[in-house]
Amino acid sequence: EWLRWMAVHDLDMMFMRERTHLLPHRRVGEVNAGFYMVHCNSRTLAFWRRVLTEQLTEPKMDGMPPYTDQYHLNRGLNFQRGVFPQEGFYGVKWATIPDYQCIWSTPESEQELVLSAFHHAVNTDDKPG
């Protein structure tokens, strides 16, 4: 289904939306780097090379708090409210997977349990300590 949707809308990438409860109003449009689909082409190769380069040049050892790959990814995606498809660096076209098709942390609804395609098991209480 997702691959067909990507083809119909000429998308290069699809991501799971970041669904953290930490400052959600400041993270509108942010995607999670834990699960995504990529159509390999020159645009996506250039995009991911840039994300990697930015991550590798991060001054972690100079006492600065490190940015994560997710920070560089979202910066490069350049989210614009109300736009579909979204367009990031190098002209990559992207969208997000509908929330009901993925569980982030713990299920938020019965619909997620029935329709989800995967579970991104972060911040759950059932992990060994």
Side-chain angles (χ1 to χ4, degrees), residues 43-55 90:
R43 292 182 308 276
T44 58
L45 181 59
F47 178 88
W48 286 104
R49 281 184 173 155
R50 180 175 175 152
V51 170
L52 177 60
T53 298
E54 289 179 359
Q55 181 67 29
Y90 305 103

Side-chain angles (χ1 to χ4, degrees), residues 7 15 19 48 53 91 99-100:
F15 297 90
R19 292 165 63 184
W48 286 104
T53 298
D99 284 352
Y100 67 85

Side-chain angles (χ1 to χ4, degrees), residues 49-91:
R49 281 184 173 155
R50 180 175 175 152
V51 170
L52 177 60
T53 298
E54 289 179 359
Q55 181 67 29
L56 292 174
T57 59
E58 196 59 43
K60 295 176 188 171
M61 302 311 286
D62 293 334
M64 302 295 289
Y67 287 113
T68 64
D69 58 333
Q70 189 162 306
Y71 169 82
H72 299 293
L73 166 62
N74 279 286
R75 215 173 112 224
L77 290 175
N78 192 35
F79 173 76
Q80 301 292 313
R81 188 183 299 268
V83 174
F84 177 86
Q86 295 284 322
E87 188 170 325
F89 291 161
Y90 305 103

